[in-house]
């Protein structure tokens, strides 16, 4: 199947989704030498198309919204083309990989960064803040899928709904630390999100960025460590291991010396000096003159 509009040609690779109001395709951009992948949504419902025009045309959206490639009408149907992000979804990445705390902190920072960089309309912010719509590559950079999963809710989305989605991601990424209350800064940040203390995503990002810098930059010369007393005691013990090793090495050398003195054949002192009467099973006798 080929979707063609003016000098643009999109070769459909597979149909990804069909609903009462739209079809979603994975396609290849034949107009581009690189033939990059993209997602193409075909909206057949005129009322839905009329609403989507307000958030999916270059005229009505920010120039920073680079993932939105173009939109057009063909034979009474409204088409929107988005860049397709390559990589694992966040859901797959968290299932298949074990990320350190610093890596997860960076993941969340990159999610914020991509949201702000693209300056997405609120409905798309709410849409992409799902584990199966966030894409992670090998360098922990972030991309988004636009699959119109909750299109019926688009027109009701407010910023508080997006902040709720961010809170869900924080809970998912830092589940261990939050359940153990082992990193005070994360616990406070999550609590502030849950209590609605951030007015908008930018304010939420500023708070998180301060947390990120404190945990990763200001403490760059030390490990991010849990705050509970038994964890601190364990860390203190680990730090003393090198000194304990040195003491044990000295004690081992002394013990070895004492053992050698007590168990190896010893020379016998005589008036003429040092003599050896026996070496192993060999008995030494002095020759009589």
């Amino acid at each position: 199947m080929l979707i063609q509009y003016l000098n643009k040609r999109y070769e459909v690779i597979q149909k990804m989704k069909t609903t009462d109001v739209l079809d979603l395709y994975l396609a290849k951009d034949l107009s581009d030498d690189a033939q990059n992948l993209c997602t193409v949504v075909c909206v057949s419902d005129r009322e839905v198309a009329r609403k989507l025009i307000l958030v999916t045309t270059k005229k009505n959206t920010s120039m920073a919204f680079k993932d939105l490639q173009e939109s057009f009408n063909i034979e009474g149907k409204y088409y929107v083309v988005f860049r397709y992000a390559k990589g694992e979804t966040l859901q797959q990445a968290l299932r298949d990989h074990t990320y350190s705390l610093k890596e997860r902190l960076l993941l969340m920072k990159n999610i914020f960064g991509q949201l702000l960089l693209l300056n997405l309309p609120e409905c798309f912010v709410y849409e992409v803040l799902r584990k199966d719509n966030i894409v992670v590559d090998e360098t922990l950079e972030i991309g988004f899928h636009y699959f119109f999963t909750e299109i019926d809710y688009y027109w009701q989305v407010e910023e508080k709904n997006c902040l709720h989605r961010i809170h869900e991601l924080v809970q998912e990424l830092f589940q261990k630390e939050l359940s153990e209350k082992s990193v005070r800064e994360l616990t406070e940040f999550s609590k502030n999100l849950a209590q609605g203390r951030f007015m908008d995503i930018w304010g939420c990002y500023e708070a998180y960025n301060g947390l990120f810098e404190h945990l990763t930059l200001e403490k760059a010369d030390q490990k991010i460590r849990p705050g509970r007393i038994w964890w601190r005691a364990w860390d203190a013990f680990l730090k003393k291991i090198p000194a304990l090793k040195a003491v044990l090495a000295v004690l081992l050398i002394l013990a070895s010396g004492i053992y050698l003195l007590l168990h190896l054949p010893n020379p016998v002192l005589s008036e003429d000096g040092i003599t050896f009467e026996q070496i192993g099973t060999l008995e030494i006798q002095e020759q009589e003159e």
Side-chain angles (χ1 to χ4, degrees):
M1 177 179 174
L2 192 66
I3 300 172
Q4 193 163 357
Y5 176 73
L6 299 178
N7 62 335
K8 292 289 187 177
R9 294 184 303 143
Y10 300 99
E11 179 185 353
V12 173
I13 298 173
Q14 73 176 86
K15 179 182 286 189
M16 304 177 67
K17 178 179 180 179
T18 298
T19 71
D20 294 338
V21 298
L22 61 81
D23 293 308
L24 184 69
Y25 303 103
L26 177 64
K28 185 188 300 183
D29 186 356
L30 299 181
S31 311
D32 184 5
D33 292 338
Q35 296 192 1
N36 292 316
L37 294 178
C38 56
T39 53
V40 181
V41 60
C42 173
V43 183
S44 53
D45 186 289
R46 290 189 177 183
E47 182 61 22
V48 173
R50 183 184 64 81
K51 293 178 179 179
L52 276 178
I53 287 173
L54 299 176
V55 291
T56 57
T57 60
K58 294 293 185 181
K59 179 180 178 180
N60 294 324
T61 57
S62 168
M63 293 297 293
F65 191 6
K66 301 294 186 182
D67 284 353
L68 173 62
Q69 295 188 331
E70 65 175 331
S71 58
F72 48 84
N73 286 284
I74 301 178
E75 298 178 353
K77 294 182 180 181
Y78 183 59
Y79 291 81
V80 188
V81 182
F82 291 93
R83 179 182 291 116
Y84 181 80
K86 295 180 181 179
E88 291 182 299
T89 65
L90 181 60
Q91 187 172 28
Q92 293 169 330
L94 293 177
R95 182 189 63 214
D96 298 339
H97 306 286
T98 301
Y99 293 112
S100 67
L101 175 55
K102 285 186 177 181
E103 287 173 324
R104 285 178 281 129
L105 286 167
L106 181 58
L107 272 173
M108 191 67 223
K109 179 179 173 65
N110 289 344
I111 291 171
F112 271 118
Q114 191 70 353
L115 284 177
L116 297 173
L117 178 66
L118 293 174
N119 195 18
L120 301 172
E122 286 183 351
C123 61
F124 285 123
V125 173
Y126 186 78
E127 168 77 20
V128 300
L129 285 178
R130 297 165 51 96
K131 289 186 297 182
D132 51 353
N133 281 349
I134 297 172
V135 179
V136 183
D137 69 12
E138 294 179 352
T139 64
L140 301 187
E141 290 298 318
I142 296 297
F144 297 129
H145 285 323
Y146 302 88
F147 289 166
F148 293 82
T149 309
E150 300 179 74
I151 190 170
D152 294 336
Y153 190 68
Y154 276 15
W155 331 117
Q156 305 171 45
V157 171
E158 299 178 1
E159 194 140 20
K160 65 179 181 180
N161 304 120
C162 301
L163 289 169
H164 178 71
R165 279 282 166 88
I166 291 174
H167 182 239
E168 290 178 339
L169 281 175
V170 169
Q171 292 287 315
E172 180 72 24
L173 282 171
F174 308 108
Q175 181 179 9
K176 180 178 183 294
E177 290 77 15
L178 293 175
S179 63
E180 294 177 352
K181 297 182 179 179
S182 57
V183 180
R184 178 179 54 81
E185 295 86 350
L186 278 173
T187 302
E188 291 180 357
F189 179 73
S190 178
K191 182 178 178 181
N192 289 337
L193 264 173
Q195 295 178 351
R197 294 185 179 178
F198 300 117
M199 299 301 296
D200 51 34
I201 294 175
W202 178 255
C204 183
Y205 167 71
E206 286 186 321
Y208 181 83
N209 192 50
L211 173 159
F212 177 85
E213 290 184 357
H214 177 68
L215 291 178
T216 61
L217 301 180
E218 294 180 14
K219 295 186 177 182
D221 58 338
Q222 57 183 299
K223 292 182 179 179
I224 300 173
R225 57 185 182 179
R228 289 190 173 186
I229 188 168
W230 50 84
W231 285 105
R232 293 199 300 269
W234 175 248
D235 280 353
F237 172 74
L238 292 177
K239 287 183 177 180
K240 292 179 180 179
I241 284 181
L244 291 174
K245 284 182 178 179
V247 172
L248 289 174
V250 172
L251 291 176
L252 182 61
I253 292 171
L254 290 175
S256 300
I258 293 171
Y259 176 85
L260 291 173
L261 289 173
L262 294 177
H263 293 85
L264 290 181
N266 296 317
V268 177
L269 294 175
S270 68
E271 293 179 357
D272 298 324
I274 299 175
T275 62
F276 293 88
E277 294 181 352
Q278 185 172 343
I279 300 176
T281 59
L282 176 63
E283 185 176 347
I284 300 174
Q285 296 181 352
E286 293 185 5
Q287 185 177 359
E288 296 182 0
E289 296 181 356

